[in-house]
Amino acid sequence: MMTLLFWIFTQENCLHIFLIKLFQKSKMLKQFSLFVQKLKDVEPIIRIEDVDGARLVQDFADEIERMLGSKMKSVKRLADTAEDADLYHEYNASLQFDYFNALLVNTMDEEGNFIELGGEFPLEENEHFNKLSVNTLMSDILVPTNVYNKDPDILNGVYMSETLNDIFINNFQKDPTLTWQYFGSSAGFFRLYPGIKWTPDANGVVSFDCRNRNWYIQAATSPKDIVIVVDVSGSMKGLKMTIAKHTINTILDTLGENDFVNVIAYTDYVRYVEPCFKGTLVQADLDNREHFKLLVEELHVKGEAKVKKAMKESFRILARANGQGSLCNQAIMLITDGAMEDFQSVFEEFNWPDKKVRVFTYLIGRDMTFSENVKWIACNNKGYYTHISTLADVQENVMEYLHVLSRPMVINHDHDIIWTEAYMDSVLFKSKAHSLLLMTSVAMPVFSKKKETLSHGILLGVVGTDVPLLEVMKLAPRYKLGAHGYAFLITNNGYILAHPDLRPLYSDGKKLKPKPNYNSVDLSEAEWEDTKDSLRTAMVKGETGTLNLDVRAAVDKGKRPVFLKNDYFYTTINETPFSFGMVLTRGHGQYVFFGNVSVEEGLHDLQQPDLTIADEWTYCETDIDPHHRKLTQLQAVVRYLTGKEPDLECDEILLQEVLFDAVVTAPLEAYWTAVDEGMESAFLGTRSGLMRVIRYAGSEKRVGKKFLTPVDKENLFTVDHFPIWYRLAAENKPGQFFFYVPHDDINKGDVNCYLVDNNGFIMVSKEKGDVGKFFGEIDGSVMAQLLKSGLFKRVTLYDYQAMCKNAHHHASGARPLLIKMYPHFETYRLLLEFNICGLWHNDYVVDGKLRSYGTHRQKKVELMQPCNTEYPGFMYDTSIRETNSIIKCGRCQKMFVLQQVPNSNLVMLVVQADCDCLLNSFEHNATVKCNSMKSQKIRRRPESCHAYHPHENAKDCGGACGIAVSLTLYFICLATSLALR
């Protein structure tokens, strides 16, 4: 399909003259007939083929599987090498060894000498790594500020892992599409390839700790159900409570979407931090974790601690989990400054003798009076005890529980390869960000293979590599899917990895920020027409199949509804937790035509100055050979076709299509050059991503200055979508012109004249500020009458990724649950009150009224929170050619006339200007729901689980058993110790 559109400008004083001139120009648009004639000339060489969606989705999935398989092989080579290196390395407590510290490289002292650990480290800008300065011949080491960079454990680990340098380089040579490769050590250092110069934060601190990263945690442990129990009695006041809150947040940061969690606080009674989640476990996705953090911040101390009730409730939660949790590791995290009760009976009733639930204890504060009790709890329940006296102690101590949970996997040497959910990370993990990317990581644990440490299950660290999801989705080329087609990826939990409708960022003033739930957006929130979750369920289960749906798509930033018949094709990506889906639209996505022209003829027309091709599409693979990375796609295509770069890997089918389109559209260049009366720009786009553009006015005179520039990606062919103008025009009736008309100074009389498109948006008005607005915002009374008479029809649309501005008050008790807001637009009132702003923005700003829980209120705060919105779209009934009406406005009357502009997407509205029918705006209430956060949709659990091993050394629990609160507990402790020997 080819689409021809124009920006057309006139300087007339009356709208009807404008329309006459407009359609005189339309008659002059011989481009249409030129197309038809040219296509007739080449008709003998055109063939039309049906698109086989089932075969195409499998082909795409196979390509993605090969790509991701290559990454997994690279990671496995790293793991094998690291384990062998450790096996033959003898620990040397006095080892002296200089290495390249990423924070210090290329740093000199006042005398011009390189400082210690900061030698000369050559760096060169590299296109493949986002134009960052890197060293592709060597990795370097990052050590967090809170870890001593010459500690014997660090030096031995760095020395042992030096052997990874050769594997990093070899992997990159075998697979040039690899990005960052790394080894995160359990000791805390991070080896990164290619090496870089790391930039600390504004305070000179490196807070990045690889052991906090999702890829490290998921690779180091199996899925887990966690209940966090925190003491909020009076003795926990002040610094203790601050440390306890930081400990909870750090534990929450170690969880991912395959884990389940809840947080309860206790004094002499037990209460859930979030009452909505009472008695259950909720998925530990980013949204829920951040919600818990907000609630934990509100905790206050009061009363006397009674740990026994809290422990009983924790065991009950885990026992009730059944099919709702991870069905793997289960643990209780007890955070307290002391345990005074006789709690033996709790463990006898709920956990002994099998000890299926591990208990980890964190003693807060400097007072060690009750340390033996707290140790005893952990040591007798296969957990680990740590003492946290300062905020600086939190990170290292929390990490210990991961090593305990990893023991069964390490002892058994089960090398599970894991893939993370999507995450947004600046390049180099926020060290020196040049861009934000959605990524997934593939990682694998590294174990000690030394026999003498086998029962201890020593985890050496985790190796991994990042995979930009944009690169994955390039393997499902847009040109094969048509104007409205697209591809998407989801995880085993039904969350979106990649989807053209995923919007992970929102505007906060002038800044773009990640949404709190950006990586836990469910497929059902993007494909909301699948009301029965049929598509989601099948994909989560890893099935292969197809589904047909009639959908309302919202394009042009959600403003314009388009009705489509979509065919969904889906399958699983083997060896990963991912499923791949693809959409073809009936009509534009069903067929594709091919034309065969000579390379010589196509090359001639391809190199004309008015022609470009989609630079985000892969016509030729420029990322394999470093020498090709600076080439644009058009440059790469030309060099390949002329034989200058025969080694380039190019898509022969796409090249055939773009050459054909270049030849067929070539006559327009000469015609456009000859015709420039009253026009500013003319442009054309084809399914192969080819665009022809001619500018008739200089940039200083141009009204639409940003249109079709790289800044305005909505109007260009991108990886995610065809341009908005292409998609909208494709839905027009054949032979009907689709107009974008910029603002113009016309209509200075007593009537208001408007050109309005078929979705109700103003194309031309006497007021420049009106252009682009919905007509109902300018004249709600007329729009209401048009709706009442059926000239325009209301279409209900939904956005499940919106951000709402919510005014609420901090409360002394639990905070209000800020989850999903549902602004209820009352149909008739909405029709009358279109002067509400922001209904069609990317992220809707709605004033929501929330219920507040608590006894007293403090200052009012405004937060942007994820919400679900229902909002209207509008469609003109094209069967109505013209109408007029009178509206009574108090003591006066307003008249208007509407006339459809033939062969276009426009209607003309003439409205009497001397009668004002303004209406007052109103607020929309928002209801608060918790069900969406605790709902348990169908998910596919990870296949592997390592929760138990008979040879595990459970005595390694952070401290020996000591005298507890009673002789009974002492003898039990002693007996347990003897039994373990």
Side-chain angles (χ1 to χ4, degrees):
M1 170 185 286
M2 300 180 186
T3 306
L4 179 65
L5 299 138
F6 279 88
W7 284 84
I8 302 178
F9 298 80
T10 63
Q11 299 291 333
E12 305 294 342
N13 292 323
C14 184
L15 189 57
H16 73 273
I17 297 177
F18 169 82
L19 290 171
I20 292 170
K21 290 287 187 181
L22 181 64
F23 284 97
Q24 282 179 346
K25 293 182 184 303
S26 297
K27 292 176 183 178
M28 292 170 59
L29 296 180
K30 294 181 181 178
Q31 285 89 327
F32 185 75
S33 58
L34 283 172
F35 266 134
V36 173
Q37 184 57 49
K38 185 63 178 178
L39 287 170
K40 283 183 178 179
D41 292 343
V42 297
E43 190 172 353
I45 62 170
I46 294 176
R47 78 178 192 277
I48 298 175
E49 292 184 2
D50 291 339
V51 177
D52 185 342
R55 179 179 175 182
L56 191 59
V57 75
Q58 195 59 59
D59 289 345
F60 287 162
D62 289 344
E63 284 293 318
I64 293 172
E65 188 178 318
R66 276 191 287 273
M67 176 195 187
L68 301 185
S70 173
K71 314 305 178 195
M72 289 189 281
K73 289 177 182 176
S74 296
V75 167
K76 190 174 187 311
R77 283 193 287 268
L78 292 173
D80 290 343
T81 302
E83 288 186 353
D84 287 343
D86 175 73
L87 180 62
Y88 298 109
H89 172 74
E90 291 188 14
Y91 186 89
N92 181 358
S94 59
L95 178 66
Q96 297 296 314
F97 175 65
D98 287 335
Y99 60 90
F100 286 109
N101 186 303
L103 188 66
L104 305 176
V105 292
N106 298 331
T107 303
M108 295 185 175
D109 58 23
E110 295 177 354
E111 298 177 357
N113 299 315
F114 288 109
I115 64 173
E116 189 177 20
L117 304 182
E120 184 178 1
F121 195 74
L123 297 170
E124 185 178 348
E125 185 179 292
N126 192 298
E127 292 279 335
H128 181 66
F129 294 94
N130 279 55
K131 297 184 178 179
L132 290 170
S133 295
V134 301
N135 185 331
T136 55
L137 299 178
M138 197 175 300
S139 62
D140 58 3
I141 304 294
L142 181 75
V143 183
T145 301
N146 65 332
V147 177
Y148 178 42
N149 60 24
K150 298 196 78 173
D151 181 276
D153 287 347
I154 298 293
L155 290 177
N156 277 269
V158 171
Y159 181 81
M160 176 274 294
S161 63
E162 283 282 291
T163 185
L164 290 176
N165 267 319
D166 291 340
I167 310 303
F168 286 142
I169 295 170
N170 186 257
N171 281 343
F172 192 39
Q173 289 173 344
K174 288 182 177 180
D175 181 4
T177 65
L178 277 172
T179 56
W180 308 102
Q181 301 176 70
Y182 39 80
F183 169 60
S185 165
S186 59
F189 72 84
F190 180 60
R191 181 179 288 279
L192 178 65
Y193 173 87
I196 51 101
K197 168 76 173 176
W198 199 282
T199 304
D201 64 21
N203 299 315
V205 173
V206 175
S207 57
F208 174 86
D209 189 327
C210 62
R211 296 168 297 179
N212 290 341
R213 306 302 294 183
N214 213 341
W215 50 265
Y216 185 100
I217 295 162
Q218 286 190 39
T221 61
S222 298
K224 45 200 172 291
D225 298 331
I226 300 288
V227 179
I228 302 173
V229 183
V230 58
D231 180 350
V232 290
S233 63
S235 64
M236 288 285 290
K237 66 183 179 181
L239 179 60
K240 286 184 181 179
M241 197 65 227
T242 302
I243 295 172
K245 290 177 180 180
H246 186 39
T247 302
I248 296 171
N249 290 342
T250 305
I251 294 171
L252 288 171
D253 285 337
T254 67
L255 306 179
E257 66 178 40
N258 288 318
D259 304 319
F260 288 76
V261 68
N262 207 332
V263 183
I264 60 177
Y266 73 93
T267 53
D268 53 349
Y269 67 97
V270 176
R271 69 180 177 88
Y272 285 81
V273 170
E274 175 48 78
C276 168
F277 302 156
K278 183 176 181 180
T280 187
L281 292 168
V282 293
Q283 200 164 6
D285 56 37
L286 180 62
D287 203 5
N288 285 344
R289 297 199 310 267
E290 292 303 309
H291 180 62
F292 273 126
K293 288 181 183 179
L294 288 173
L295 299 173
V296 165
E297 192 58 37
E298 298 286 327
L299 289 175
H300 300 285
V301 298
K302 184 181 179 182
E304 183 181 355
K306 301 288 185 182
V307 71
K308 194 171 182 179
K309 293 179 182 178
M311 295 303 291
K312 282 186 176 182
E313 183 63 19
S314 301
F315 280 114
R316 289 190 185 109
I317 295 172
L318 294 171
R320 284 195 295 262
N322 294 325
Q324 299 298 317
S326 69
L327 301 186
C328 192
N329 286 292
Q330 290 193 324
I332 297 171
M333 326 297 276
L334 176 62
I335 301 167
T336 181
D337 65 345
M340 299 169 57
E341 299 170 84
D342 184 355
F343 31 71
Q344 170 194 347
S345 60
V346 178
F347 303 118
E348 288 178 339
E349 179 181 356
F350 290 98
N351 206 36
W352 292 353
D354 296 333
K355 299 181 182 179
K356 291 182 178 179
V357 178
R358 298 178 188 266
V359 183
F360 297 88
T361 56
Y362 303 89
L363 181 66
I364 306 297
R366 298 187 183 279
D367 187 356
M368 301 288 289
T369 304
F370 300 104
S371 62
E372 296 302 329
N373 296 358
V374 179
K375 284 181 186 178
W376 186 92
I377 292 173
C379 292
N380 285 276
N381 289 279
K382 295 177 67 177
Y384 200 88
Y385 156 82
T386 56
H387 176 218
I388 305 177
S389 57
T390 68
L391 284 169
D393 296 336
V394 171
Q395 187 66 52
E396 288 293 323
N397 286 315
V398 166
M399 287 295 114
E400 290 296 337
Y401 99 86
L402 295 174
H403 297 149
V404 174
L405 291 187
S406 71
R407 285 176 188 163
M409 177 174 61
V410 178
I411 295 170
N412 214 36
H413 269 69
D414 291 316
H415 287 86
D416 296 333
I417 292 183
I418 64 95
W419 288 90
T420 67
E421 62 263 36
Y423 63 92
M424 182 163 293
D425 212 348
S426 56
V427 177
L428 298 188
F429 314 105
K430 294 185 171 59
S431 65
K432 188 176 180 181
H434 283 219
S435 64
L436 286 167
L437 298 171
L438 272 177
M439 318 276 284
T440 182
S441 295
V442 55
M444 192 173 181
V446 177
F447 307 140
S448 170
K449 292 162 57 172
K450 295 176 180 176
K451 291 182 179 179
E452 62 269 24
T453 62
L454 185 61
S455 65
H456 294 270
I458 295 177
L459 176 76
L460 300 174
V462 173
V463 289
T465 184
D466 294 341
V467 183
L469 289 165
L470 182 66
E471 298 302 316
V472 178
M473 299 316 291
K474 283 183 178 180
L475 298 177
R478 296 290 304 127
Y479 78 94
K480 292 187 177 182
L481 303 176
H484 301 293
Y486 54 90
F488 56 95
L489 273 173
I490 67 169
T491 70
N492 57 299
N493 289 296
Y495 293 153
I496 293 173
L497 280 167
H499 192 293
D501 291 336
L502 178 66
R503 303 193 312 275
L505 301 173
Y506 75 100
S507 297
D508 184 9
K510 294 183 179 180
K511 293 183 179 179
L512 284 176
K513 292 184 176 179
K515 295 178 182 177
N517 62 335
Y518 76 88
N519 68 352
S520 56
V521 176
D522 196 86
L523 180 63
S524 60
E525 295 177 284
E527 300 292 346
W528 46 266
E529 287 281 31
D530 180 26
T531 54
K532 296 181 179 179
D533 277 351
S534 302
L535 175 67
R536 182 194 182 280
T537 300
M539 293 186 69
V540 165
K541 288 182 176 180
E543 296 175 358
T544 297
T546 184
L547 179 72
N548 314 115
L549 287 176
D550 292 333
V551 302
R552 289 162 286 176
V555 298
D556 197 6
K557 298 182 180 178
K559 292 187 294 187
R560 303 173 188 274
V562 179
F563 293 87
L564 304 171
K565 290 184 179 294
N566 283 350
D567 292 324
Y568 291 82
F569 303 89
Y570 50 87
T571 189
T572 188
I573 306 295
N574 294 325
E575 306 300 323
T576 77
F578 307 146
S579 291
F580 174 74
M582 182 191 82
V583 174
L584 295 176
T585 302
R586 301 279 175 90
H588 307 297
Q590 278 182 295
Y591 310 102
V592 62
F593 72 86
F594 300 95
N596 192 16
V597 296
S598 69
V599 172
E600 293 75 15
E601 185 181 12
L603 262 175
H604 174 269
D605 293 325
L606 198 62
Q607 297 182 77
Q608 300 308 307
D610 70 324
L611 186 146
T612 61
I613 58 176
D615 209 45
E616 287 191 14
W617 291 15
T618 306
Y619 298 82
C620 292
E621 181 56 70
T622 57
D623 205 32
I624 295 176
D625 189 328
H627 296 99
H628 297 150
R629 286 181 183 141
K630 293 186 179 181
L631 296 176
T632 66
Q633 282 296 312
L634 184 57
Q635 289 170 338
V637 167
V638 171
R639 293 180 72 84
Y640 173 74
L641 293 175
T642 55
K644 294 180 179 178
E645 298 285 352
D647 295 333
L648 273 166
E649 293 183 11
C650 298
D651 187 327
E652 298 290 346
I653 296 175
L654 183 54
L655 290 189
Q656 183 182 347
E657 287 192 26
V658 80
L659 289 175
F660 176 79
D661 289 350
V663 171
V664 171
T665 61
L668 290 180
E669 181 190 2
Y671 184 80
W672 283 348
T673 305
V675 179
D676 65 353
E677 182 185 350
M679 292 192 292
E680 180 178 286
S681 304
F683 57 93
L684 167 145
T686 75
R687 179 165 168 159
S688 66
L690 176 145
M691 286 186 65
R692 288 188 181 275
V693 181
I694 187 169
R695 302 284 196 184
Y696 293 105
S699 59
E700 69 285 348
K701 296 181 180 179
R702 238 179 263 152
V703 179
K705 292 180 180 179
K706 291 185 178 179
F707 190 69
L708 296 177
T709 66
V711 176
D712 190 1
K713 285 200 170 186
E714 292 295 318
N715 291 308
L716 299 175
F717 291 87
T718 68
V719 172
D720 282 342
H721 58 68
F722 277 70
I724 293 297
W725 49 265
Y726 192 108
R727 296 181 67 187
L728 290 172
E731 291 308 304
N732 265 16
K733 293 179 181 178
Q736 177 173 296
F737 291 105
F738 185 81
F739 290 98
Y740 275 139
V741 187
H743 58 260
D744 210 350
D745 292 321
I746 58 176
N747 310 321
K748 307 298 183 184
D750 293 331
V751 295
N752 289 333
C753 295
Y754 303 92
L755 273 181
V756 179
D757 73 6
N758 57 355
N759 297 122
F761 291 93
I762 297 171
M763 298 287 102
V764 176
S765 169
K766 73 174 184 178
E767 300 293 337
K768 292 185 178 181
D770 293 347
V771 175
K773 289 183 178 179
F774 179 66
F775 179 68
E777 295 181 59
I778 306 304
D779 199 326
S781 60
V782 173
M783 192 67 205
Q785 185 64 26
L786 295 176
L787 284 157
K788 185 177 179 181
S789 60
L791 275 77
F792 274 86
K793 294 181 179 178
R794 185 181 189 274
V795 179
T796 301
L797 299 169
Y798 300 91
D799 182 7
Y800 294 96
Q801 298 178 64
M803 295 289 288
C804 297
K805 186 183 291 184
N806 300 289
H808 73 279
H809 299 77
H810 284 297
S812 61
R815 289 169 49 125
L817 182 61
L818 302 175
I819 313 169
K820 306 289 188 184
M821 315 304 162
Y822 299 85
H824 296 296
F825 294 94
E826 302 174 33
T827 305
Y828 295 107
R829 295 184 69 186
L830 179 64
L831 302 185
L832 296 175
E833 308 212 22
F834 292 103
N835 51 340
I836 302 166
C837 297
L839 285 176
W840 295 277
H841 293 173
N842 256 345
D843 294 300
Y844 311 96
V845 180
V846 179
D847 291 326
K849 295 179 179 178
L850 301 177
R851 294 194 298 271
S852 183
Y853 305 94
T855 55
H856 68 272
R857 296 184 177 184
Q858 299 172 1
K859 64 179 182 179
K860 186 178 181 180
V861 229
E862 284 190 336
L863 291 174
M864 295 294 287
Q865 289 288 318
C867 60
N868 297 345
T869 60
E870 173 188 308
Y871 68 101
F874 300 90
M875 297 284 287
Y876 179 69
D877 185 349
T878 55
S879 66
I880 300 173
R881 299 298 177 88
E882 60 181 86
T883 190
N884 61 77
S885 186
I886 296 175
I887 303 171
K888 291 184 179 181
C889 298
R891 295 182 179 180
C892 68
Q893 297 183 128
K894 176 184 285 190
M895 299 179 63
F896 71 89
V897 177
L898 177 145
Q899 184 171 350
Q900 185 182 134
V901 178
N903 302 317
S904 79
N905 62 315
L906 305 177
V907 294
M908 178 182 69
L909 265 169
V910 182
V911 183
Q912 185 178 346
D914 60 353
C915 186
D916 194 6
C917 293
L918 290 178
L919 299 166
N920 296 323
S921 63
F922 62 94
E923 292 183 354
H924 300 287
N925 289 333
T927 61
V928 180
K929 290 190 176 237
C930 73
N931 290 337
S932 59
M933 289 187 85
K934 69 177 184 180
S935 65
Q936 302 290 338
K937 289 197 171 199
I938 290 177
R939 56 186 292 269
R940 187 168 83 248
R941 290 181 177 82
E943 294 179 0
S944 61
C945 172
H946 310 288
Y948 170 79
H949 198 285
H951 297 152
E952 177 186 344
N953 179 14
K955 290 188 294 183
D956 184 6
C957 59
C961 294
I963 298 174
V965 295
S966 69
L967 287 174
T968 302
L969 291 181
Y970 171 77
F971 286 119
I972 291 173
C973 180
L974 180 61
T976 304
S977 297
L978 292 172
L980 288 172
R981 291 174 186 171

